[in-house]
Amino acid sequence: MAFLEQIQDGPLRRREFDLDRGGRTVSGVLWEPAEPAGGAPLVLLGHGASGDRHQTPLPWLAKRLAGEHGCFALAIDGPVHGRRFVAPGGRESFWPEWQREGTVEDMNADWRFALDFVQSLPEVGTGPVGYWGLSMGTIYGAPFVAAEPRVTVAVLGLMGIVGPAHYVPTIEAAANAITCPVLFLMQLEDELFNREQYLALFDALATTDKRLHANPGLHPQVPVEELHHSIDFLLRHLRGEATDFSPTFTVSN
Amino acid sequence: MAFLEQIQDGPLRRREFDLDRGGRTVSGVLWEPAEPAGGAPLVLLGHGASGDRHQTPLPWLAKRLAGEHGCFALAIDGPVHGRRFVAPGGRESFWPEWQREGTVEDMNADWRFALDFVQSLPEVGTGPVGYWGLSMGTIYGAPFVAAEPRVTVAVLGLMGIVGPAHYVPTIEAAANAITCPVLFLMQLEDELFNREQYLALFDALATTDKRLHANPGLHPQVPVEELHHSIDFLLRHLRGEATDFSPTFTVSN
């Protein structure tokens, strides 16, 4: 395995890579701070359908995580996306892939493989790990977070309990197995998923430390304020800071 | 009208007052920054049932707004609360008051009177005005925000469409008349109001610029992170900063 390219982007280093997992390519990108400190927090970023590892807002998040907060960020292409492109591409290629039994297991293994790889780099090391992924980043991300004990905090959303026949019990079981703190994002005018589907997924999350943020707009119109909240939320947990979940009645004035 | 006392509290000045509105006492407190700048933002703080103008987290919010952000903060006692105490006090006194027709109109007039008063002080002036109030602070706050054009942003919540017979159409009509940006807070394990009541109130808000934040815990267990978010949200709007409600797809990386 080799890095395909290393790009210095201001204070950040962006390293593109292809991994070979038993004949299956896992294409990804690792963002590193100017002065990487092994054991610093690592945030995994899952992109949405028809995007790739560089889909907005992933690089935006990565630059802030690495450039301002000394963290690492890792994104990999979803199945049939990015450098794993399968014609005709976009959602047209994603729908049949989503209907394929085994797609979740494959992507789980891809994430695990990529995580093993970057944690084996001495400059990255084995610090705390968070996950951020909306829409398709939750379709695959919720099962991955459920299955991967290294992930201890997650931002999920833009998704409900819905999908192909094989997938509905998978996402429900995944939610039932997620016990880490979760910030769950919802779009109030989502044209893809309705409120009942959203709330069913939120309710199914086993963790008691979960919060729902619902914002106006269509599916992709997540406000930038939620991206800032996402980063705050992830960092607070990854750094082991007080999670602020004390009742207000104990706030000292 | 006279200030009852003026207390220097670190860099803040806290001024307690009683106003006489046609024989009805309006008791309140004004927090001012160390170097008050006339025309700075003013945030009105509405307390919850059985509390008073100093109920947690009002002073916590006021100290941050005035001490860190150069704003003014104003709280007045609710009907039958604080210095307007009516025996036996607490929720026992609030329930009959809530059932009294005219209670909303009276409290609206109290708020307007107090707002007129503090804006007449040259060191306060007529800057932008926000409202923050949960639970009883929304029971009275939603109708006030709906009726008062000086209020241009609000944090509401811990409340649904529910209450005495005269009140249910009042709160619904108020929500239908609120057109300013709103952050609406919900508690997932609220022992007083259920999800349907909460969502009915949120849905009834006429503004399209609204977001719902639902957090774990009982009615009073609003997490401190939401208090921080509240302040960020109010200030962003009161200062006329970009509201961050651009779609993520337009975020520049």
Side-chain angles (χ1 to χ4, degrees), chain A residues 62-139:
Chain A
K63 285 192 184 180
R64 275 146 194 84
L65 287 165
E68 297 172 15
H69 300 291
C71 299
F72 301 94
L74 170 66
I76 63 173
D77 289 324
V80 310
H81 287 75
R83 278 203 303 278
R84 312 207 280 184
F85 176 84
V86 171
R91 287 179 180 171
E92 273 188 86
S93 291
F94 174 55
W95 298 138
E97 171 65 18
W98 195 12
Q99 283 162 40
R100 183 177 68 79
E101 293 205 32
T103 186
V104 163
E105 290 72 16
D106 285 345
M107 187 64 181
N108 273 2
D110 291 344
W111 266 121
R112 203 173 302 119
F113 201 71
L115 179 54
D116 289 345
F117 163 64
V118 300
Q119 286 194 327
S120 76
L121 300 171
E123 71 270 27
V124 178
T126 55
V129 180
Y131 181 88
W132 187 101
L134 306 178
S135 195
M136 194 183 81
T138 286
I139 288 174

Side-chain angles (χ1 to χ4, degrees), chain B residues 40-216:
Chain B
L42 165 66
V43 178
L44 313 182
L45 303 172
H47 69 79
S50 83
D52 63 26
R53 70 202 178 284
H54 290 291
Q55 186 187 38
T56 297
L58 271 49
W60 187 97
L61 290 165
K63 286 193 183 178
R64 275 146 194 85
L65 287 165
E68 297 172 15
H69 300 289
C71 299
F72 301 94
L74 169 67
I76 63 172
D77 289 325
V80 309
H81 287 75
R83 276 204 303 277
R84 311 208 279 185
F85 177 86
V86 171
R91 287 180 180 170
E92 273 188 86
S93 291
F94 173 55
W95 299 138
E97 172 65 18
W98 195 12
Q99 284 161 40
R100 182 177 69 78
E101 294 204 31
T103 185
V104 164
E105 290 72 16
D106 284 346
M107 186 63 181
N108 274 2
D110 291 344
W111 265 122
R112 203 172 304 120
F113 200 72
L115 178 55
D116 289 345
F117 163 65
V118 300
Q119 285 195 328
S120 75
L121 301 171
E123 70 272 28
V124 177
T126 55
V129 180
Y131 181 87
W132 187 102
L134 306 178
S135 197
M136 194 182 82
T138 285
I139 288 173
Y140 290 108
F144 174 63
V145 170
E148 179 49 65
R150 283 174 287 186
V151 175
T152 55
V153 59
V155 178
L156 302 170
L158 302 204
M159 176 57 186
I161 292 200
V162 62
H166 81 89
Y167 182 78
V168 169
T170 300
I171 181 76
E172 189 154 20
N176 289 163
I178 290 178
T179 55
C180 68
V182 173
L183 166 60
F184 187 85
L185 302 186
M186 169 169 162
Q187 286 299 105
L188 292 164
E189 284 80 42
D190 197 313
E191 72 279 19
L192 299 180
F193 307 118
N194 67 37
R195 178 184 288 186
E196 290 64 37
Q197 293 165 337
Y198 263 111
L199 293 181
L201 179 50
F202 179 73
D203 287 338
L205 293 167
T207 178
T208 55
D209 190 356
K210 57 185 175 181
R211 70 282 292 142
L212 171 80
H213 286 192
N215 290 290

Side-chain angles (χ1 to χ4, degrees), chain A residues 54-61 63-64 188-189 195 199-200 202-203 208-217 220-229 232-233 236-237 243-253, chain B residues 54-61 63-64 188-189 195 199-200 202-203 208-217 220-229 232-233 236-237 243-253:
Chain A
H54 290 290
Q55 186 186 38
T56 297
L58 270 51
W60 188 96
L61 291 165
K63 285 192 184 180
R64 275 146 194 84
L188 292 164
E189 285 79 43
R195 178 184 287 187
L199 293 180
F202 179 73
D203 286 339
T208 56
D209 190 356
K210 58 183 174 182
R211 70 282 292 142
L212 172 80
H213 287 192
N215 290 290
Q221 296 181 308
V222 179
V224 178
E225 67 182 49
E226 285 297 353
L227 303 183
H228 289 290
H229 290 178
D232 290 348
F233 173 74
R236 200 163 51 236
H237 285 278
T243 59
D244 267 355
F245 263 89
S246 51
T248 56
F249 285 155
T250 66
V251 172
S252 91
N253 293 324
Chain B
H54 290 291
Q55 186 187 38
T56 297
L58 271 49
W60 187 97
L61 290 165
K63 286 193 183 178
R64 275 146 194 85
L188 292 164
E189 284 80 42
R195 178 184 288 186
L199 293 181
F202 179 73
D203 287 338
T208 55
D209 190 356
K210 57 185 175 181
R211 70 282 292 142
L212 171 80
H213 286 192
N215 290 290
Q221 295 180 310
V222 179
V224 177
E225 65 183 49
E226 284 297 354
L227 303 184
H228 289 291
H229 291 178
D232 290 348
F233 173 74
R236 201 163 47 238
H237 286 278
T243 58
D244 266 355
F245 262 88
S246 51
T248 57
F249 287 154
T250 65
V251 171
S252 89
N253 291 322

